[in-house]
Amino acid sequence: MKKSSYVYLLPVAAAMLSPVAVHAMPVSTLSGERPVVIAHRGASGYLPEESVQSYQLAMKMGADYIEGDVYLTADGKAVMLHDGTLNATTNVVAYAATHPEIAALRSSNGTYDVRQFTLAQLQQLSVTCRNAAGYCTDKTYFDPAVSYSFASYENFLDLAYNHYLDTGIAVGVFPEAKQTGLGVAEAILAGLTNPKYNGYFTTTGRALTQSFNAAQVEYLNANSSIPVSYLGVCPTTAAAAASVAAIADGIGPSIRQLGAACVTAAHDAGLTVMPYTYLNDPALYEASYQLGVDGVFTNYPDIAASVRDEVFGPATPVPEPHSLALLGLGVAGFAAARKRRQA
């Protein structure tokens, strides 16, 4: 489906930069505005990834988007989980030891597949820290006495929507179709268009979608005006970028793929560039901002935002929530010019 514009979820006042930048001006983003901070699985450098609390902390830290991965359960409910199995990021093994109905779902290789669980069964579990660098590495906000809550996709959307209702500050969502097949892509769009949100996520800039799978990218693009990113690709030629632009609005390369040729080719084709995944290395953020990336997927949204302020200069304070209503879209941001595909 043809999109008329690609809008970033930057606070209106925050996008009005200080006239004196702290660093040399970087290459421009596609929109000409500041790059966005995308909280990868929430503030996952501090709290268990994709937990309710991780998403809440990310919004408090000033993330422009909260990001997460979507799977479907045995009863067809959409849930937030990066792995197809529960072993690495939940307490399922310990819980199963005293709950035979959960133990019965164990596969022959010892794993617990999310697709074998109902939503109600998943909600009995606690989300735990992955044993990997960059995830819960900084224990500043972590409390071992807390049972971190599993998030359904509806919980994920509710968090962003209710944050806006409570504060007047719009935080967008960036769900990824992680499970294969078109069913999960359908579920993502169904959630974003649910009437309970009163059009919040269909307002330009308050939702983006993504996938590594070309068929899912094509489906999301054809069935919604919400921008979609094709993950794992980093075209360095005009022809390669044009091929991606035929089915997507942006790319999400790994930071190992990122380079000036990729950013230039993508921008020339009208594609945004939002690399993954940044940890707690300020120098890497700065180098990427200087290349002109349009956003960063980060486990540490506070660090990403802080370095952004250093590169672009401090942002003007955001208006009080009661004033935002006077701005129409509030913090929906500015439309970025984008070369669009012909219908």
Side-chain angles (χ1 to χ4, degrees), residues 105-271:
L105 299 175
R106 180 178 179 271
S107 68
S108 59
N109 65 2
T111 60
Y112 292 86
D113 190 324
V114 62
R115 293 163 292 189
Q116 302 302 312
F117 284 68
T118 66
L119 176 59
Q121 288 170 327
L122 289 170
Q123 289 175 329
Q124 297 173 38
L125 305 177
S126 294
V127 186
T128 58
C129 290
R130 180 187 297 277
N131 183 23
Y135 293 89
C136 292
T137 302
D138 187 319
K139 301 296 186 182
T140 301
Y141 301 93
F142 181 76
D143 184 348
V146 170
S147 177
Y148 290 92
S149 306
F150 195 95
S152 69
Y153 179 49
E154 185 175 16
N155 294 151
F156 173 77
L157 298 179
D158 285 349
L159 286 169
Y161 182 57
N162 290 333
H163 181 78
Y164 173 69
L165 295 180
D166 291 343
T167 68
I169 299 172
V171 173
V173 295
F174 206 152
E176 177 186 340
K178 180 63 68 173
Q179 184 176 330
T180 58
L182 296 182
V184 69
E186 293 171 350
I188 285 172
L189 295 183
L192 295 174
T193 57
N194 189 322
K196 71 179 279 188
Y197 300 117
N198 296 307
Y200 178 80
F201 296 112
T202 53
T203 299
T204 308
R206 291 177 176 174
L208 308 173
T209 61
Q210 57 180 329
S211 176
F212 282 95
N213 181 278
Q216 289 178 329
V217 170
E218 289 184 273
Y219 179 89
L220 291 164
N221 182 62
N223 289 278
S224 174
S225 60
I226 295 169
V228 57
S229 287
Y230 191 5
L231 300 176
V233 294
C234 202
T236 57
T237 67
S243 177
V244 175
I247 64 170
D249 303 280
I251 59 170
S254 74
I255 54 177
R256 292 180 296 278
Q257 294 173 293
L258 185 64
C262 168
V263 175
T264 298
H267 282 179
D268 286 348
L271 295 165

Side-chain angles (χ1 to χ4, degrees), residues 9-140:
L9 197 74
L10 286 174
V12 169
M16 301 174 184
L17 303 180
S18 168
V20 179
V22 176
H23 293 229
M25 186 57 65
V27 174
S28 178
T29 61
L30 183 64
S31 69
E33 305 300 336
R34 304 204 308 169
V36 294
V37 172
I38 306 154
H40 183 242
R41 311 181 207 172
S44 55
Y46 300 103
L47 295 178
E49 65 190 70
E50 316 237 38
S51 65
V52 168
Q53 293 85 351
S54 180
Y55 292 130
Q56 290 172 326
L57 179 59
M59 291 188 290
K60 290 178 181 177
M61 287 180 164
D64 299 303
Y65 292 87
I66 52 173
E67 185 269 355
D69 308 286
V70 183
Y71 275 87
L72 297 179
T73 63
D75 53 344
K77 304 297 184 182
V79 295
M80 309 307 294
L81 191 76
H82 177 268
D83 299 359
T85 55
L86 302 166
N87 297 54
T89 57
T90 77
N91 67 337
V92 67
V93 174
Y95 190 81
T98 56
H99 292 78
E101 73 282 6
I102 300 299
L105 299 175
R106 180 178 179 271
S107 68
S108 59
N109 65 2
T111 60
Y112 292 86
D113 190 324
V114 62
R115 293 163 292 189
Q116 302 302 312
F117 284 68
T118 66
L119 176 59
Q121 288 170 327
L122 289 170
Q123 289 175 329
Q124 297 173 38
L125 305 177
S126 294
V127 186
T128 58
C129 290
R130 180 187 297 277
N131 183 23
Y135 293 89
C136 292
T137 302
D138 187 319
K139 301 296 186 182
T140 301

Side-chain angles (χ1 to χ4, degrees), residues 266-284:
H267 282 179
D268 286 348
L271 295 165
T272 57
V273 182
M274 300 183 184
Y276 66 89
T277 302
Y278 293 78
L279 303 181
N280 55 352
D281 180 359
L284 186 56

